[in-house]
Amino acid sequence: MPTHPNPYRRGLERTRANFVPLTPISLIEWAADVYPERCAVIHGPLRRSWRELYERSRRLAGALESIEVGEGDTVAVVLPNTPEMIEAHYGVPMTRAVLNSINTRLDAAMIAFIIKHSDSKALIVDREFAPVVGEALKILAAEGARRPYVIDVDDPEYDGPGGAIGDIGYEAFLEKGDPLSPYLHPEDEWDAIGLNYTSGTTGNPKGVVVHHRGAYLNAIANVVAWNLPRHPVYLWTLPMFHCNGWCFPWTVAAVAGTSVCLRKVDAKLIFGLVREHRVSHYCGAPIVHSTLINAPEELKRGIDWPVKAMVAGAAPPASMIEGMEHMGWEVTHVYGLTEVYGPAAACAKHEDWAQLSLADRVEKNARQGVRYQLQQGLTVMDPETMREVPRDGETMGEVMFRGNIVMKGYLKNDAATDEAFRDGWFHTGDLGVLYPDGYVKLKDRSKDIIISGGENISSIEVEDALYKHPAVLACAVVARPDPKWGETPLAFVELKAERVPATPEAAKALADELIEHCRAHLARFKCPREVRFEEVPKTSTGKIQKHLLRAQVKSASAI
């Protein structure tokens, strides 16, 4: 190593001319400067240009500043995928405040906890969710907690129940702001931009704090990893409250695309919007894609271009990937968590995979893949020794990330933050394997592994076998106590409508058929000992809630 002073550091300092903190706010500035009249947002008959979206975002920032929202404050929103939600992703950080996007499916007690824990100063609410948010505000009042300034959104595309509960309507509130007034960029790109609460399965959720740098980098990484072209038409099937819509509210601006808003996931609505607006891209959990695959064929007619889909989940079933191929839609498999801004890894495809059989292509594409180009590290390690597991596709370890696309930490929870970042890596809690080419494949969450007779059974592996049966729409496999083996797999199966059995005898026959089907794909000890037919509980983002099923099994076993 040289001992002389580094000449490239002396007298070459950061200045305002050569260093600006990274922030996704800059992306809407670019889109509005370069493509001011290009359509940015579609919502029913509404069309707004990038210039209009930029001006409204600036108005929102000014209006928030008029009620003294600023650096270090939190603005909570309970909104579906509407234009106001996109505006919040720009207008709130323009004040140096932090955007807290709350899951619209939460109950009043949980919403009250989040508002109180985040000390939200303002709250923007769509009137569809006014009843539950109103109850949350009553809980806060009973606890003597501060009531946030509440802004009502009345979306003309919504005609259901609900009403005003706030201090002012959204459009009237915007009138308080000036679309031409200056606004604030972050002083430090490490400053917080978002707060997203994990869907905790026990106790209170943790508040994941993300920063401007990571949000900017992941917004751009989405472009690079998905090879997004200029001006895509992006359909909002993924909730924007979920990991800030995987950073896509900012990604769409980076390529001057068009956001097509969607209040709820519905196959008929989705296919209609795809046809009407020639949608080119959308994202979602495996259940969203499976819903489209299993929709009636008449809904799919008239779509003669390849729609590109991004899917994320613990492990999308092979049947889903195969089904997308049969539809002629191109699927990219990504992986991530709230703590890494949504997806931070992708199953990067190789040209020679196209020559493989469908089964082999499905096997390759079902892996979680490799890190995003702008993420520093992704691997699988033994969490005790912190050594990478052998690249044999069999040895399990914990999946870990490190890099700029990792959260700041958990709000007001130092112990959880320290544990998550132990030994300089973010510990995901997911179990996976490494293949010889360095690709990661998930095997399970650590809590979802079934230990039967001393053997580890991946519930995901069993579910993947079940999804290969044509009758299965959704499924979840959990452990069931067993006096001999300790635990055995129990499968909860949601059937396609046309395969629902009409009698108990037919149900038993179908259950036996599914078990035999699994035995054709798995070692016998891995196969379910019991199959129950019922709707599988899911979160609002389409993730299957295994913790509810585990609790159901535990409760039944205690009787």
Side-chain angles (χ1 to χ4, degrees):
M1 296 289 292
T3 57
H4 59 272
N6 186 340
Y8 295 100
R9 290 182 178 171
R10 297 171 59 191
L12 303 174
E13 305 299 334
R14 293 180 183 179
T15 72
R16 288 186 298 171
N18 65 11
F19 179 82
V20 177
L22 297 177
T23 173
I25 295 173
S26 65
L27 300 176
I28 193 173
E29 294 170 346
W30 176 85
D33 282 345
V34 181
Y35 298 102
E37 302 309 319
R38 191 168 188 90
C39 183
V41 178
I42 295 173
H43 186 45
L46 175 71
R47 305 290 186 274
R48 287 205 178 108
S49 68
W50 279 104
R51 174 184 54 79
E52 291 171 316
L53 179 60
Y54 183 41
E55 289 176 352
R56 287 175 62 85
S57 299
R58 294 178 70 172
R59 278 191 182 277
L60 176 58
L64 289 169
E65 288 172 349
S66 76
I67 59 170
E68 299 184 349
V69 168
E71 185 169 1
D73 290 326
T74 303
V75 177
V77 298
V78 184
L79 298 171
N81 289 348
T82 56
E84 293 81 8
M85 185 61 140
I86 299 173
E87 291 161 11
H89 276 79
Y90 291 100
V92 173
M94 283 176 178
T95 68
R96 293 185 181 163
V98 176
L99 177 65
N100 174 19
S101 299
I102 298 178
N103 186 329
T104 59
R105 297 288 182 86
L106 296 179
D107 61 23
M110 190 60 71
I111 291 174
F113 167 81
I114 291 173
I115 293 172
K116 183 178 179 180
H117 186 264
S118 64
D119 197 25
S120 294
K121 195 169 186 177
L123 173 63
I124 306 175
V125 184
D126 185 279
R127 70 180 177 90
E128 179 181 357
F129 311 111
V132 67
V133 174
E135 288 301 313
L137 295 176
K138 290 178 182 177
I139 293 171
L140 291 175
E143 295 176 353
R146 180 176 75 171
R147 181 186 188 277
Y149 184 88
V150 181
I151 303 150
D152 291 310
V153 174
D154 188 5
D155 178 12
E157 290 302 299
Y158 176 69
D159 59 2
I165 60 170
D167 302 281
I168 192 171
Y170 185 81
E171 294 302 323
F173 184 65
L174 288 194
E175 292 301 316
K176 293 175 175 283
D178 184 347
L180 301 178
S181 64
Y183 54 87
L184 301 171
H185 279 240
E187 287 188 352
D188 187 335
E189 58 190 22
W190 177 247
D191 287 345
I193 189 174
L195 174 63
N196 299 286
Y197 282 81
T198 61
S199 52
T201 57
T202 58
N204 290 321
K206 297 189 290 287
V208 176
V209 182
V210 295
H211 48 75
H212 282 259
R213 178 181 178 84
Y216 176 90
L217 290 174
N218 215 36
I220 300 301
N222 283 333
V223 176
V224 179
W226 209 7
N227 195 25
L228 269 177
R230 190 65 55 87
H231 311 313
V233 180
Y234 181 86
L235 178 62
W236 275 105
T237 48
L238 176 76
M240 275 184 252
F241 67 69
H242 182 54
C243 310
N244 297 109
W246 298 354
C247 294
F248 272 90
W250 302 308
T251 294
V252 175
V255 287
T258 301
S259 286
V260 180
C261 294
L262 179 70
R263 289 188 65 100
K264 65 177 182 177
V265 172
D266 175 88
K268 184 176 181 180
L269 285 174
I270 289 171
F271 284 116
L273 290 172
V274 170
R275 266 192 305 273
E276 181 181 358
H277 303 298
R278 289 194 66 86
V279 166
S280 59
H281 295 77
Y282 75 97
C283 300
I287 190 64
V288 175
H289 304 279
S290 296
T291 297
L292 300 181
I293 291 167
N294 293 297
E297 288 303 313
E298 58 266 23
L299 295 182
K300 306 175 186 178
R301 295 193 183 109
I303 302 172
D304 56 2
W305 61 93
V307 178
K308 295 176 173 60
M310 185 176 273
V311 58
S319 62
M320 188 277 295
I321 297 175
E322 184 176 351
M324 294 296 286
E325 283 211 12
H326 282 310
M327 282 174 61
W329 293 19
E330 299 176 11
V331 63
T332 296
H333 182 196
V334 295
Y335 163 65
L337 306 90
T338 305
E339 289 86 345
V340 292
Y341 300 73
C347 189
K349 299 176 183 178
H350 292 250
E351 292 179 354
D352 58 354
W353 292 4
Q355 309 306 316
L356 299 173
S357 67
L358 176 59
D360 288 340
R361 286 201 309 277
V362 166
E363 182 180 352
K364 293 281 190 183
N365 287 316
R367 299 181 297 175
Q368 276 59 40
V370 295
R371 69 184 186 277
Y372 265 20
Q373 290 93 324
L374 302 185
Q375 180 69 295
Q376 186 62 35
L378 166 67
T379 191
V380 180
M381 288 196 272
D382 182 319
E384 300 302 321
T385 65
M386 291 303 292
R387 292 178 180 171
E388 187 173 277
V389 300
R391 298 189 171 199
D392 56 11
E394 295 181 1
T395 307
M396 282 200 294
E398 185 175 7
V399 181
M400 301 187 192
F401 282 100
R402 75 188 313 177
N404 293 298
I405 309 177
V406 175
M407 66 173 178
K408 288 170 70 79
Y410 298 112
L411 183 67
K412 304 174 186 176
N413 196 334
D414 294 344
T417 299
D418 291 344
E419 177 60 25
F421 292 156
R422 182 169 52 85
D423 296 313
W425 286 82
F426 167 59
H427 295 241
T428 66
D430 286 331
L431 300 179
V433 297
L434 273 177
Y435 282 81
D437 57 5
Y439 279 55
V440 171
K441 182 175 177 61
L442 291 194
K443 286 298 182 180
D444 231 329
R445 292 290 292 177
S446 56
K447 60 180 176 289
D448 290 336
I449 285 289
I450 301 166
I451 304 174
S452 184
E455 296 285 348
N456 287 350
I457 301 173
S458 164
S459 64
I460 290 175
E461 185 179 7
V462 183
E463 289 158 5
D464 203 42
L466 284 166
Y467 273 116
K468 292 175 181 175
H469 193 283
V472 176
L473 177 63
C475 67
V477 174
V478 299
R480 182 189 68 176
D482 185 274
K484 180 177 181 180
W485 302 106
E487 295 177 337
T488 55
L490 164 61
F492 290 86
V493 174
E494 185 175 332
L495 296 168
K496 296 176 183 177
E498 68 273 14
R499 294 301 303 269
V500 175
T503 64
E505 292 75 17
K508 184 181 185 307
L510 183 54
D512 291 342
E513 180 183 333
L514 287 173
I515 293 171
E516 284 303 314
H517 167 82
C518 288
R519 288 173 177 167
H521 296 275
L522 302 169
R524 291 182 71 91
F525 78 91
K526 295 182 178 181
C527 297
R529 300 297 179 90
E530 180 186 355
V531 176
R532 298 181 188 176
F533 296 121
E534 58 185 78
E535 184 176 354
V536 179
K538 308 171 192 70
T539 69
S540 54
T541 60
K543 292 182 180 178
I544 289 174
Q545 296 177 299
K546 285 189 181 180
H547 68 282
L548 297 179
L549 298 174
R550 281 195 296 269
Q552 177 181 324
V553 173
K554 183 178 179 180
S555 176
S557 301
I559 297 175

